[in-house]
Amino acid sequence: MKRDKIFTAVFVSMIVLPFVLALVKPAGGVSKAEKRQLSPAPRLELSITGIAALPRQIDSWFSDHFGFRAKLARANDALEYTFLGTSARVIVGKDDWLFLKRGLRNDVNLMPVVRDLCGDAPLSEEQLDAWENALQTNRRKIEALGAIYVFVVVPNKHTLYHRYLPSSVACKPGRTRLDQLATRLNSLDDFPWIDLRKTFATIDDVVLFHKTDTHWNANGALKAYDILTRWMASKVAFASLDIPARVKRIDTPIGGGDLAHMAGLEGTVSEVMHGFKVEQRQARPLRNPYPQLTTDPGRQPQAFRLPHDNFDNAVIFHDSFVSQRLKHLLSETFSVSRFAWAGNPVLPLDIVEPDHAGIVIHEMVERNLLQPWF
C-alpha cells in the first residue's frame, strides 16, 4: 500500500512539475539549440479572432516552455545519434560533416534541403512569378530612393559539399529552386544580383564552410566580401582602408558548431573553427536605426559609422550569414552602415530614409527558397 502511494506521488509529480516550471519561468526567450525565438505567453484579445486564436497560443507556448523541455530534447538528440547514428534535425554525413535537415522555422513544415538538392522540389511558375515580382519591387523602390539594389544569394552547404552527404540521402544534384530563379533573373533586363555559387563552386583548395556548423568559415566570408566589393567597384563609393591587411585569422578548437548543438553532440564532435577579426577597427556603433522592426533580442538592427564622410552609406538586409563575420567587414566599408535582419523576400523598405543608403544589399541563404512565402 505504501509503495503504491509513493508510486502515485512520483507519477503525479512527473506530470505536474513540467507545467509548474513552465508557469514560474519567464516566457519567451531564444532557443540556442533550435536557433529561434520561443513562443511568447498567450494574450487574450476580446474579439472573435482573438478568442479563436487563444488555444493555439496556449498550445504553442506550452510546447516551447514545459519544464525540462530543453534538457529532454538534448537528451533525445544525443540518444538518437548514439544508438541510431541519426538526428531529427541534422544529417550526419561522411568524415564528421554535419548538414541541416530542413530549415529552422518552427511554425511551418519546411521541406528537407536534400529534396531541393536532388531536384525533387521545383517552384511552380506562380511561385517563380511571385519571387520575381518581390525582387523587382525591392529594386524599383530602392532605385526610387536614388540608391542601388543588389540581391546576394549564399549557397547551401549541401550545394557545395554534397559529396559528404551519407549514401542514404545522397543523389546526383538536380535542377534546384535556385537554378530556376537564376534562369528567371538572368532573363530580366540587367537584374542586379550575385550568385555566390558560381565562384564558390570553383574553389577546391580551401574549405569554405564549417563541418559542424551551418555557416561559412573565414574563407567563405572573406571570399564573399571580395566578390561583393568587386561588383560594387564601379557603382558606389566605398572605403578602401586596407581591410584585408587588418584581418587577423583566428583558429579556435571547439566542441562543435550550431549543427552539433542541434543534434546534442557538443563535446562528442569537435573541429577547428576558422574565424577572423578586423584589427584597428574604425567603425563606431550607433544606436538602433530601426527599433520598430523587431522585438527579437537576437535580431536587433545595428548601425556603424566610419570617421570618413566621403563614402556612400549602405543598408544591409540579411540573415545569419552576414551576422556571422561579414558584418565586421561591411561596417568598415561604408560611411554609415545599417544592418537589419529580414528573411522575407519582400523587404520592409518603408523604414529606409532617402539619405540612409547609396546601396541596399539584400543577402539571403539558398534554403530560404524552400520557405512557403507565397
Side-chain angles (χ1 to χ4, degrees):
M1 188 69 175
K2 184 177 180 180
R3 184 185 304 169
D4 291 342
K5 290 182 178 179
I6 294 174
F7 177 81
T8 301
V10 172
F11 180 74
V12 171
S13 298
M14 290 174 65
I15 294 175
V16 173
L17 188 57
F19 184 73
V20 172
L21 290 175
L23 290 176
V24 300
K25 72 178 183 179
V30 176
S31 169
K32 292 182 179 180
E34 296 169 84
K35 298 289 183 180
R36 67 177 181 89
Q37 184 82 11
L38 297 176
S39 300
R43 294 181 60 186
L44 175 61
E45 296 182 9
L46 298 178
S47 65
I48 294 176
T49 55
I51 294 172
L54 187 61
R56 292 194 301 272
Q57 290 183 38
I58 293 174
D59 180 67
S60 180
W61 167 79
F62 185 69
S63 295
D64 276 357
H65 295 281
F66 69 85
F68 309 115
R69 175 187 179 279
K71 290 183 173 60
L72 289 171
R74 301 296 282 279
N76 179 73
D77 289 337
L79 287 171
E80 277 188 335
Y81 177 78
T82 301
F83 293 104
L84 302 177
T86 186
S87 166
R89 289 174 292 170
V90 175
I91 298 171
V92 181
K94 303 171 185 175
D95 298 336
D96 296 327
W97 279 75
L98 302 179
F99 297 86
L100 191 66
K101 203 168 259 189
R102 62 185 74 226
L104 300 177
R105 281 179 63 183
N106 193 49
D107 57 332
V108 292
N109 185 23
L110 290 174
M111 188 178 300
V113 179
V114 172
R115 274 196 63 195
D116 182 42
L117 175 69
C118 298
D120 295 334
L123 290 167
S124 67
E125 285 301 310
E126 291 77 13
Q127 289 171 315
L128 272 173
D129 289 342
W131 271 97
E132 177 187 337
N133 181 62
L135 298 175
Q136 286 279 53
T137 299
N138 293 337
R139 179 187 186 182
R140 284 194 297 269
K141 289 184 176 180
I142 288 165
E143 289 180 350
L145 294 172
I148 290 173
Y149 173 67
V150 59
F151 178 53
V152 182
V153 182
V154 179
N156 290 332
K157 183 177 177 180
H158 314 60
T159 299
L160 298 177
Y161 299 107
H162 54 83
R163 63 185 180 275
Y164 293 110
L165 286 166
S167 56
S168 58
V169 299
C171 64
K172 183 179 180 180
R175 182 168 171 78
T176 66
R177 291 188 170 196
L178 182 53
D179 288 328
Q180 290 180 279
L181 184 62
T183 299
R184 179 67 70 90
L185 295 182
N186 290 337
S187 70
L188 302 177
D189 182 22
D190 196 27
F191 186 84
W193 82 294
I194 299 172
D195 184 356
L196 291 176
R197 292 179 307 172
K198 291 183 176 180
T199 303
F200 278 23
T202 65
I203 299 173
D204 55 13
D205 56 334
V206 294
V207 176
L208 304 174
F209 276 65
H210 295 299
K211 294 176 68 173
T212 65
D213 197 277
T214 54
H215 298 98
W216 51 27
N217 57 26
N219 299 323
L222 290 168
K223 176 53 69 174
Y225 178 75
D226 178 65
I227 294 169
L228 179 57
T229 52
R230 287 175 185 273
W231 185 91
M232 296 189 304
S234 62
K235 297 175 175 63
V236 293
F238 59 90
S240 57
L241 301 174
D242 204 20
I243 292 175
R246 292 189 285 129
V247 170
K248 180 181 179 181
R249 297 294 191 110
I250 302 172
D251 290 342
T252 308
I254 65 163
D258 61 1
L259 289 169
H261 284 256
M262 288 181 211
L265 300 179
E266 64 273 28
T268 303
V269 298
S270 62
E271 72 168 307
V272 175
M273 299 291 272
H274 302 297
F276 68 84
K277 70 175 182 178
V278 181
E279 297 185 315
Q280 301 172 9
R281 292 191 64 186
Q282 300 186 36
R284 295 292 176 261
L286 304 174
R287 68 184 182 206
N288 185 339
Y290 309 121
Q292 73 276 31
L293 191 60
T294 180
T295 59
D296 186 338
R299 297 186 175 184
Q300 289 298 301
Q302 290 181 284
F304 300 87
R305 178 186 292 278
L306 285 176
H308 313 280
D309 291 327
N310 52 329
F311 304 115
D312 278 310
N313 297 336
V315 175
I316 300 96
F317 291 101
H318 65 91
D319 55 32
S320 57
F321 278 80
V322 165
S323 293
Q324 295 272 344
R325 303 186 178 89
L326 202 56
K327 186 179 292 186
H328 300 299
L329 299 171
L330 292 172
S331 62
E332 295 287 307
T333 302
F334 302 99
S335 288
V336 178
S337 52
R338 297 174 175 89
F339 296 86
W341 192 294
N344 195 312
V346 180
L347 297 177
L349 295 175
D350 56 309
I351 66 175
V352 180
E353 300 293 337
D355 64 339
H356 281 191
I359 184 168
V360 174
I361 299 169
H362 178 192
E363 176 270 326
M364 183 195 84
V365 66
E366 180 183 357
R367 65 174 180 267
N368 205 29
L369 285 162
L370 299 178
Q371 302 217 33
W373 297 115
F374 308 109

